[in-house]
Structures are given as C-alpha cells and as structure tokens.
Amino acid sequence: KRVQASSFTMLSGATLTTATLSPAIDPTKSFLVFGVEENAAPPVDGQISGQITNATTLTFQRAAGNTGNIRVTWWVAEFTSGVRVLRGAATLGPASPGDLTVPLAPAVDPRRSFPLISLRTSGSSYEGSDFARAEITGGGANLSLYLSNGINSPVAEWQVVEYTDAEVQSGPLTFVHPDPSKTA
C-alpha cells in the first residue's frame, strides 16, 4: 500500500521519543524497520528499541540516554492484504541465559513468517545480554527469544511478520572471529 519513512535525532538525556505517522496505518498490516547512528559507548545509552504503538505513533526507547545523541532513520511498510503482523515486548533475564517463549496468538505459518526484534538494555559494556536471537517455534505458536546471558534484563520489542504469498527460509548463523585466539 505504502511506505512511510523519516528520521530524527534522539537527544542526549532523552530515553523515549515518538514519531508521528501520517496518514494513519493499519498496525495489523504494517511493520517497522529502523537503523541508528550513534557514538555512545555503553549499551544503556546506545541501544534503542522501536515499536509501532498505534495507528499514528512509533515509539523509540533506550534505557538511560545519559550521553550521546542518536540519529534514528525509520521505515514503516503497510500492506493492503496478504500480510499480518503480531507485535509485543518481552523482558529477558535476569538470572539465567536461555530461551524466553512468547505465545503467538493467533499462530503463524512459520514457512511464511519471520521475526524482527530490537533491544534496549541497562548494560554498561557490550556482552551477551546486549544481543538476542529470535526464532519462530512450536509450529508457529511461539516466538523464542534467546540471550547468552540475561544479567541486565534487556527489553526486546518484537514483531512477527507473516506474508501469505511468500516463502521464508531461516536457520542458525554463527559468527567466527577472524583471529582464532579470540571468540566472537
């Protein structure tokens, strides 16, 4: 149907910023993607989560925002038919690493669906609780979110996009550091 796009700067000290969609969208047939430019050393200041809050509002958040401006560029794709989007937020951790299973209602077809997540955390340095993995599981009934550790209790904003006439392929990916003496 249409793509709306814009950008803004989340100022140093701000923890929440909204953007207005005009014209209004149907959130059940729309999804958000965004990118950030930042020079904030700790994840508490630099990691941003984003979500379609309602038909006219996007909400972007970070845990603290004590230092550093962050430039956010976003796109919202809206479809007339053939796409269904589920969304929510989940807090991961804090005590143990592993999966958090979020029930999807109604279930999606995992052959035609993919997850999109963004994460914000209170961490002071980048480590395992600053990066999450998302996977559609349970035959499409669940979204599984995984962290290698959850010590900072990050919040994942998630969307599951189902395309009626698409075929989605997915699988695990492992990053390997080019220096064999280090781990990635």
Side-chain angles (χ1 to χ4, degrees), residues 70-120:
I70 296 182
R71 183 82 176 153
V72 178
T73 302
W74 58 264
W75 300 263
V76 172
E78 180 183 18
F79 297 81
T80 54
S81 63
V83 170
R84 177 172 59 123
V85 182
L86 305 174
R87 64 180 39 82
T91 301
L92 299 134
S96 63
D99 291 315
L100 172 67
T101 300
V102 178
L104 298 175
V108 297
D109 181 345
R111 299 167 303 155
R112 306 199 183 298
S113 304
F114 60 90
L116 296 170
I117 63 169
S118 57
L119 201 67
R120 69 179 181 271

Side-chain angles (χ1 to χ4, degrees), residues 38-174:
E38 55 95 6
N39 194 19
V44 69
D45 294 318
Q47 282 192 312
I48 294 199
S49 66
Q51 192 66 274
I52 296 174
T53 311
N54 59 46
T56 60
T57 309
L58 304 176
T59 302
F60 298 90
Q61 295 182 72
R62 60 181 166 174
N66 297 323
T67 60
N69 293 341
I70 296 182
R71 183 82 176 153
V72 178
T73 302
W74 58 264
W75 300 263
V76 172
E78 180 183 18
F79 297 81
T80 54
S81 63
V83 170
R84 177 172 59 123
V85 182
L86 305 174
R87 64 180 39 82
T91 301
L92 299 134
S96 63
D99 291 315
L100 172 67
T101 300
V102 178
L104 298 175
V108 297
D109 181 345
R111 299 167 303 155
R112 306 199 183 298
S113 304
F114 60 90
L116 296 170
I117 63 169
S118 57
L119 201 67
R120 69 179 181 271
T121 183
S122 60
S124 58
S125 62
Y126 285 99
E127 40 79 32
S129 66
D130 299 313
F131 306 96
R133 182 180 78 222
E135 181 181 8
I136 297 170
T137 58
N142 300 309
L143 174 66
S144 291
L145 301 168
Y146 180 83
L147 289 173
S148 63
N149 80 54
I151 60 171
N152 294 322
S153 298
V155 175
E157 303 274 3
W158 58 267
Q159 304 169 94
V160 173
V161 181
E162 181 178 40
Y163 277 93
T164 303
D165 294 323
E167 183 177 320
V168 174
Q169 296 183 25
S170 65
L173 174 67
T174 302

